[in-house]
Amino acid sequence: MNETVFDEPLFASLKPGLTSFCYRMLGSMDDADDAVQETSIRVWQSWSTFRQDSSFKTWVYRIASNFCLDKLRQSKRRVLPVDLFDPAVAIVEPRDTLPDSAWIWPSTDFGGSPEDRLVRRDTLQLCFIALLQTLPPRQRAVLILKDVFEWSSKQIAETLAMSPAAVNSALQRARETMDRAQLRSDELSSMVVQPDQQLLSRYVEAFERFDIAALVALFHEEGCMSMPPFEMWIRGKEDLSAFYSLTRWHCEGSRFVPITVNGGYPALAQYMPDKEGSGLVPWGIHVIETKENQILHVQNFIHTPLFSRFGLPERIDR
């Protein structure tokens, strides 16, 4: 390996996996992209110092891990609304928000081979990302590299500057914490199973007609809806009906564009009428989780920068 010329194709081959590692660590594609970009810069700057005492892959992941660990020391845990707050008692228009940095956001495809995208796709579930955020950063890195990427304890130890014994100890503690964690988002998730396409079609039809009765009828009795960055979330058919009635003025006339998130899971991008009424503009990304062929949880991620990240248009015609 030439120590003086940065091997860009070699780094590019690692980028899909590196991005998925950083997303699981940080809970945000924006942060993951920043981490990979900074890793690329640091690899380029340090290229002449690489002596092959470990593999190039291990060396690159060591740099990325250090960046993520440093960032996490200065950050609060990212969450989903259902894990941070109780369901709304009074049904009003949502107003209180937390900054974008407080929330877990859905991810786009990381690229790579089809086989890579299928490996442990369940570990890209939003509820799993939320569970990961409950771990101390170093334990989080160990668990991701071991249980998701299936690295050896020796390789993880080299990456994180730990002994193999320390890696195994951290892994045991991380698994115990994950097993004990009782997050509401985990209870509400059925993302392992692809939602029924007919159910999704009925949701789209009812929402685009804004037929509240038909829409609410699709929900499970314990069905709910959350809307980050808003703190408020709704649980139960009666409250859902009241909320849809209250926000009819805002959502009526919306249209959906199908997309996939977090490893190929079906989702819907909602466009709402613009103020001039001449077209439709981005509003939210609906991720729909189901139980017994009913909707258990709609996570409506109201974050318009997601639309450009998913390659969606800035506006569509009515």
Side-chain angles (χ1 to χ4, degrees):
M1 183 180 296
N2 189 329
E3 295 183 359
T4 60
V5 181
F6 176 38
D7 192 334
E8 291 187 28
L10 187 57
F11 182 84
S13 70
L14 298 179
K15 193 172 179 179
L18 200 64
T19 306
S20 68
F21 168 76
C22 293
Y23 172 68
R24 289 177 174 93
M25 283 291 291
L26 302 172
S28 159
M29 279 300 295
D30 286 342
D31 283 359
D33 282 349
D34 289 346
V36 172
Q37 177 64 24
E38 180 62 27
T39 299
S40 174
I41 293 170
R42 294 183 183 185
V43 167
W44 177 76
Q45 290 175 336
S46 305
W47 184 251
S48 62
T49 68
F50 176 52
R51 299 293 185 225
Q52 302 186 52
D53 54 342
S54 60
S55 73
F56 176 70
K57 183 176 182 178
T58 299
W59 182 60
V60 169
Y61 271 79
R62 181 186 305 154
I63 293 170
S65 298
N66 286 337
F67 178 84
C68 290
L69 293 172
D70 287 343
K71 185 173 183 64
L72 289 168
R73 290 188 190 101
Q74 305 166 24
S75 306
K76 292 184 178 180
R77 174 169 71 100
R78 287 181 179 266
V79 295
L80 296 168
V82 295
D83 294 326
L84 197 58
F85 303 99
D86 289 330
V89 176
I91 304 304
V92 296
E93 289 185 29
R95 298 191 183 281
D96 295 333
T97 64
L98 291 180
D100 293 343
S101 60
W103 305 112
I104 291 166
W105 299 104
S107 76
T108 53
D109 188 7
F110 302 114
S113 69
E115 293 79 11
D116 290 339
R117 291 196 291 271
L118 288 173
V119 171
R120 301 304 304 271
R121 190 166 65 178
D122 57 316
T123 67
L124 280 173
Q125 292 181 28
L126 290 163
C127 66
F128 185 81
I129 301 299
L131 280 170
L132 285 174
Q133 308 309 301
T134 66
L135 297 175
R138 191 167 293 273
Q139 288 183 29
R140 192 183 313 174
V142 168
L143 186 132
I144 293 168
L145 291 173
K146 185 68 172 180
D147 288 357
V148 178
F149 287 75
E150 299 181 347
W151 286 20
S152 68
S153 295
K154 180 177 182 295
Q155 189 176 8
I156 296 170
E158 292 175 355
T159 301
L160 300 178
M162 303 167 66
S163 69
V167 166
N168 292 333
S169 177
L171 180 64
Q172 180 180 351
R173 294 197 303 274
R175 287 172 175 169
E176 289 172 352
T177 299
M178 293 281 278
D179 288 342
R180 287 197 310 269
Q182 295 182 332
L183 298 184
R184 195 182 273 121
S185 57
D186 193 30
E187 298 172 10
L188 293 173
S189 176
S190 298
M191 287 180 68
V192 175
V193 180
Q194 295 284 307
D196 181 77
Q197 191 58 49
Q198 290 186 347
L199 178 62
L200 290 181
S201 296
R202 291 198 300 272
Y203 179 81
V204 170
E205 181 183 358
F207 200 106
E208 291 186 347
R209 288 190 289 111
F210 219 73
D211 183 336
I212 293 174
L215 190 56
V216 172
L218 300 175
F219 280 82
H220 190 274
E221 285 298 327
E222 294 298 311
C224 58
M225 177 177 59
S226 56
M227 303 155 287
F230 293 103
E231 301 173 2
M232 176 183 180
W233 62 280
I234 316 298
R235 186 169 206 164
K237 287 189 173 186
E238 184 177 342
D239 284 353
L240 285 165
S241 181
F243 183 79
Y244 283 129
S245 298
L246 186 67
T247 56
R248 173 187 287 277
W249 67 272
H250 180 77
C251 290
E252 197 166 26
S254 292
R255 294 290 181 269
F256 284 116
V257 174
I259 60 171
T260 59
V261 301
N262 290 63
Y265 192 82
L268 299 162
Q270 179 193 351
Y271 285 78
M272 57 169 282
D274 64 14
K275 293 179 179 179
E276 291 76 29
S278 58
L280 300 166
V281 293
W283 177 244
I285 304 293
H286 294 222
V287 180
I288 299 173
E289 298 167 320
T290 64
K291 178 181 180 180
E292 299 167 356
N293 206 27
Q294 294 177 299
I295 295 172
L296 185 61
H297 186 195
V298 175
Q299 299 190 71
N300 182 7
F301 293 92
I302 303 171
H303 187 52
T304 54
L306 287 172
F307 281 69
S308 59
R309 176 171 290 285
F310 280 91
L312 292 161
E314 293 181 3
R315 62 185 293 115
I316 60 175
D317 297 330
R318 280 182 173 273

